[in-house]
Amino acid sequence: MITRPRSLLFWLLLIIALFLIAKAPVETAHALLAVYHAVVGFFVALGVFFTVLASG
């Protein structure tokens, strides 16, 4: 499975990600953490919403 060839899109995204990490590591880390916190917050709020919906 590791020897299976990858698509062009995979390599393009990998090169862009590595370029961003090499060019601006602190800003990239802040952006990734912001996205992570937003996703976690969304799912926490969704859990609260479903809890309130189920109790009503």
Side-chain angles (χ1 to χ4, degrees):
M1 184 168 202
I2 197 96
T3 60
R4 193 175 74 192
R6 306 267 189 245
S7 69
L8 183 62
L9 181 63
F10 169 79
W11 291 111
L12 184 64
L13 292 177
L14 180 66
I15 290 170
I16 290 170
L18 291 175
F19 176 77
L20 285 175
I21 292 170
K23 203 69 169 151
V26 175
E27 291 82 2
T28 304
H30 285 202
L32 290 176
L33 282 175
V35 169
Y36 171 76
H37 287 299
V39 169
V40 168
F42 171 75
F43 283 110
V44 167
L46 193 62
V48 170
F49 173 72
F50 283 135
T51 303
V52 169
L53 197 62
S55 69

